[in-house]
Amino acid sequence: MAPERLYTDTGDTSALALKILVAGGFGVGKTTLVGSVSEIRPLRTEERLSEVGEFVDDTAGVDRKTTTTVAMDFGRITIRSGLSLYLFGTPGQDRFWFLWDELSHGALGAVVLADTRRLEDCFPAVDFFEHRGIPFVVAVNCFPGARNYGAHDVSRALDLDPGTPVVLCDARDRDSGKEVLIRLVEYAGRMHTARLLDSVGQN
C-alpha cells in the first residue's frame, strides 16, 4: 500500500505521511497511547459510559473506566524530517467494530495493544489484521500490578504468525510509544518490500 504524499506550502512533495491504526480491546490504552505521542492536540471522541451500555460492554478488569471511544482517536507524530505518522485509534467495543473497515483503508500498518490480564481481548484485532494482510506489531501495555510476561510467551499465547513483533511498552510514556511506532514502520516497510519483490518475481 503506497504511502500518502503530502503537499507543503511550497509545493514540496518530499514529505511522507503514513497512516497507522492503534487497535486492541476495551480499556487497553489506545487513547492514552495516541495522546502521549501526538505532537498536536489529539482529537478524541470519548463519551461517558452509561447504564444502558452495561449490558453490551464488557468492563471486567477495567471497572474504573468511565469513558469510551465511540468513533476514533486521531493524532500526529513526526518520526524524522520528512516522515510523519497519522495515528487513528479504533474503538474497542464489539458494537463499534463496523468502523474498523473504514479506518483501515490506506493504512501502512497497525499497533495492537495488549493487556496481559485480559489477553483474549486483543484476539479480534489480531484476526482482523491477519485476514486483511495488514502488517502489525503487538505492544504489551505494562499496567502496574500486572504479571510480567516475555515477548515469546505473548506470541505463543496469541498464536501469532512467525516474525510478528511483540514489544513491551508504557502507553503513558512518549518515548516508549514512539519506539513502538518506529518498530512498526520498520516491520511494515520490510513486509511491503517483500510483497513487492514477490509480485515482481511472479511477472
Side-chain angles (χ1 to χ4, degrees):
M1 201 160 297
E4 179 183 355
R5 290 196 176 272
L6 294 182
Y7 285 86
T8 63
D9 293 337
T10 60
D12 181 18
T13 61
S14 60
L16 288 179
L18 306 178
K19 182 180 182 180
I20 301 296
L21 298 188
V22 179
F26 178 56
V28 79
K30 300 179 295 296
T31 297
T32 300
L33 177 64
V34 172
S36 68
V37 301
S38 181
E39 62 197 17
I40 63 173
R41 183 177 180 179
L43 168 66
R44 293 173 174 166
T45 56
E46 287 195 308
E47 296 292 342
R48 292 191 63 82
L49 291 171
S50 65
E51 293 182 2
V52 176
E54 291 180 1
F55 301 100
V56 291
D57 294 330
D58 182 8
T59 58
V62 286
D63 302 329
R64 295 183 179 180
K65 187 170 175 61
T66 59
T67 61
T68 183
T69 299
V70 296
M72 67 175 186
D73 299 311
F74 175 77
R76 185 190 71 206
I77 179 175
T78 300
I79 296 297
R80 57 172 173 76
S81 178
L83 176 60
S84 298
L85 303 183
Y86 285 178
L87 308 176
F88 293 82
T90 66
Q93 305 99 305
D94 301 10
R95 58 193 170 116
F96 295 123
W97 282 348
F98 67 92
L99 294 170
W100 287 31
D101 278 319
E102 187 66 29
L103 290 174
S104 66
H105 287 313
L108 176 79
V111 174
V112 176
L113 272 178
D115 178 353
T116 56
R117 300 169 300 179
R118 298 176 292 117
L119 200 56
E120 67 280 1
D121 288 359
C122 68
F123 273 114
V126 169
D127 290 342
F128 180 90
F129 297 121
E130 283 185 343
H131 290 160
R132 287 160 179 78
I134 298 175
F136 68 94
V137 302
V138 173
V140 179
N141 192 8
C142 299
F143 286 90
R147 182 177 174 183
N148 293 327
Y149 291 91
H152 180 67
D153 294 327
V154 173
S155 181
R156 288 185 58 190
L158 294 176
D159 193 26
L160 298 177
D161 290 338
T164 303
V166 176
V167 296
L168 306 182
C169 75
D170 182 344
R172 302 166 300 179
D173 182 76
R174 176 180 172 82
D175 290 337
S176 180
K178 186 174 180 178
E179 285 301 315
V180 171
L181 296 173
I182 291 173
R183 185 75 176 273
L184 170 62
V185 171
E186 293 174 344
Y187 175 65
R190 293 195 301 270
M191 291 291 290
H192 285 294
T193 299
R195 291 171 183 173
L196 178 61
L197 293 175
D198 184 58
S199 64
V200 171
Q202 293 177 1
N203 292 333

